[in-house]
């Protein structure tokens, strides 16, 4: 059961990264600097959270498979 949750964590993290990475690059098309910063952070924070979820899930999955 733990393996399924860790794989699900990797999938959710990758979804968060790929779903929001386009917004990071398209945020710079606006003229207003405040809007650029807001759109950039709105897209960057889920990308960072997704990367952390992938990293932790993959590391724990690797450790569990290594012990087995």
């Amino acid at each position: 059961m733990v393996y399924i949750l860790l794989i699900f964590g990797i999938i959710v993290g990758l979804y968060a990264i790929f779903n929001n990475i386009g917004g990071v690059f398209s945020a710079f098309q606006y003229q207003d600097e405040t809007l650029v910063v807001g759109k950039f952070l709105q897209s960057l924070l889920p990308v960072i959270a997704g990367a952390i979820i992938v990293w932790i899930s993959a590391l724990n999955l690797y450790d569990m498979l290594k012990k087995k």
Side-chain angles (χ1 to χ4, degrees):
M1 181 69 176
V2 176
Y3 295 114
I4 295 171
L5 292 175
L6 291 173
I7 292 171
F8 183 68
I10 293 170
I11 292 170
V12 167
L14 290 174
Y15 175 78
I17 291 170
F18 290 122
N19 195 33
N20 293 299
I21 196 73
V24 172
F25 299 115
S26 68
F28 297 104
Q29 67 185 0
Y30 300 103
Q31 298 297 327
D32 186 20
E33 293 176 3
T34 306
L35 190 59
V36 168
V37 171
K39 292 285 186 178
F40 180 73
L41 290 177
Q42 181 183 9
S43 297
L44 183 65
L45 293 176
V47 170
I48 292 171
I52 291 171
I53 291 170
V54 168
W55 176 260
I56 291 173
S57 295
L59 188 63
N60 286 334
L61 185 63
Y62 174 74
D63 287 342
M64 288 183 69
L65 290 174
K66 187 177 176 183
K67 287 181 182 179
K68 193 174 184 182

